[in-house]
């Protein structure tokens, strides 16, 4: 993960601005020092486990997370009614959640859409679709990055999911 690498290099004395954004500014330095660094949980894996814990009613705490890595993930999953407790270094999913889609302003159907960082990660689109099948209400998932990412929904439909695949990039899910 680029942000972890940048944080590590900064701990060694590198000068890097823009960590967490889509633009990095790196100023060369004469020398880097030594140091140690612990790589935190990968944010897409952490979010995957967290969303699946919410869908199954589990109680889950993931330690050593970097809350800044979750800036686009938590709001997207909250649209499905998933409650997260984000601490300084933890992500907790309280047990027994009754998932329900949170309508946008004016009662509009909400949209979860992927994009380049810091937007919602495309690699979590399939997790969002599965979670949406278990949330009461309707949501539009818009996968902007990969054309064939949503072609798995026919398998969910054959299991009883209520999904309309609008085109290769958009699906409407009613949980």
């Amino acid at each position: 993960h680029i942000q972890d690498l940048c944080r590590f290099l900064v701990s060694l004395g590198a000068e890097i601005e823009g960590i967490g954004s889509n633009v990095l500014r790196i100023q060369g330095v004469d020398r880097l020092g030594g140091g140690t660094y612990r790589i935190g949980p990968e944010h897409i894996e952490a979010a995957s486990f967290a969303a699946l814990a919410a869908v199954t009613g589990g109680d889950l705490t993931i330690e050593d997370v970097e809350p800044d890595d979750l800036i686009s993930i938590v709001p997207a999953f909250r649209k499905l009614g998933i409650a997260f407790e984000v601490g300084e270094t933890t992500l907790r999913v309280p047990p027994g959640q009754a998932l329900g889609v949170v309508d946008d302003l004016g009662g509009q159907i909400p949209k979860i859409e992927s994009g380049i960082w810091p937007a919602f990660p495309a690699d979590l689109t399939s997790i969002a679709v599965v979670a949406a099948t278990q949330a009461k209400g309707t949501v539009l998932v818009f996968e902007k990055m990969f054309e064939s990412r949503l072609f798995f929904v026919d398998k969910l439909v054959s299991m009883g999911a209520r999904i309309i695949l609008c085109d290769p990039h958009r699906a409407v899910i009613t949980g």
Side-chain angles (χ1 to χ4, degrees):
H1 190 267
I2 300 300
Q3 292 183 49
D4 260 336
L5 174 60
C6 289
R7 289 182 196 115
F8 172 59
L9 291 171
V10 166
S11 76
L12 300 179
E15 293 182 19
I16 303 173
E17 295 177 13
I19 299 171
S21 72
N22 61 353
V23 176
L24 293 175
R25 289 180 183 82
I26 302 170
Q27 180 67 37
V29 295
D30 291 333
R31 188 169 189 188
L32 296 176
T36 60
Y37 188 79
R38 182 169 183 233
I39 297 173
E42 207 276 329
H43 68 288
I44 293 174
E45 284 184 359
S48 297
F49 283 113
L52 296 176
V55 166
T56 60
D59 184 357
L60 175 69
T61 300
I62 302 171
E63 298 179 357
D64 296 326
V65 298
E66 176 60 49
D68 288 343
D69 293 347
L70 305 172
I71 60 171
S72 61
I73 296 169
V74 170
F77 282 126
R78 283 191 176 142
K79 291 180 180 186
L80 302 176
I82 298 175
F84 295 115
E85 296 171 0
V86 181
E88 287 186 28
T89 61
T90 60
L91 174 64
R92 180 169 183 263
V93 180
Q97 297 186 39
L99 305 183
V101 174
V102 179
D103 289 342
D104 279 349
L105 189 62
Q108 299 298 309
I109 294 173
K111 175 172 52 174
I112 296 174
E113 56 188 312
S114 66
I116 60 171
W117 182 262
F120 185 73
D123 291 340
L124 286 173
T125 302
S126 56
I127 299 294
V129 168
V130 171
T133 67
Q134 303 304 303
K136 184 177 180 179
T138 301
V139 66
L140 170 68
V141 174
F142 189 176
E143 169 53 69
K144 295 179 177 178
M145 306 296 287
F146 299 102
E147 189 169 283
S148 60
R149 173 86 65 184
L150 295 174
F151 285 161
F152 75 99
V153 300
D154 62 326
K155 306 293 190 265
L156 295 175
V157 170
S158 70
M159 292 187 278
R162 297 178 61 193
I163 302 173
I164 298 170
L165 186 60
C166 304
D167 56 40
H169 297 280
R170 296 175 300 151
V172 177
I173 302 103
T174 301

